Amino acid sequence: KGQAKGCINFLMHKASVRRDERNPAAFIISPAEPQGWHDPSSFTGNAFRSFFFDASESEVACAHWVSTIAENIRFANLAAEQLGAELFRQVRVFKPSWDDLE
């Protein structure tokens, strides 16, 4: 079983996703805001970290990963807008363990 090193919460972390130009089977999730991630304490790295994912051994095509993640980002942005961004700024961000997810 893999080890979780953190998580990105699209409600809290405004993100963008794109295909990796150097590797057609990979994609990158980056902060969408110029100031970087809001409260990056739920993952390793800093407010400007980008996450690289290689889907070359996945049963799911990279393009499908990108479109599905982009859809989730759009949904989270709309939900945050409708509920009020300030509400999400008050929510504590934490780094879950596998035990938290089971």
Side-chain angles (χ1 to χ4, degrees):
K1 186 182 220 182
Q3 197 63 7
K5 295 182 181 177
C7 69
I8 302 170
N9 178 337
F10 293 141
L11 287 169
M12 302 292 297
H13 302 116
K14 301 304 174 205
S16 66
V17 63
R18 68 182 189 283
R19 297 277 297 263
D20 185 342
E21 295 174 2
R22 297 171 293 174
N23 180 351
F27 61 94
I28 303 165
I29 298 176
S30 300
E33 298 177 331
Q35 65 271 24
W37 301 111
H38 167 72
D39 191 1
S41 63
S42 67
F43 47 80
T44 59
N46 63 29
F48 299 99
R49 176 181 178 187
S50 290
F51 296 86
F52 297 83
F53 297 90
D54 184 345
S56 61
E57 295 185 24
S58 174
E59 294 178 7
V60 178
C62 183
H64 187 71
W65 278 106
V66 171
S67 65
T68 301
I69 292 169
E71 185 176 331
N72 279 272
I73 290 170
R74 282 190 298 276
F75 175 82
N77 289 343
L78 181 59
E81 180 182 316
Q82 290 177 353
L83 295 171
E86 188 55 37
L87 173 69
F88 293 106
R89 300 285 185 205
Q90 297 173 21
V91 175
R92 188 177 77 86
V93 177
F94 72 100
K95 187 185 298 186
S97 69
W98 280 114
D99 291 335
D100 295 329
L101 303 174
E102 293 178 338

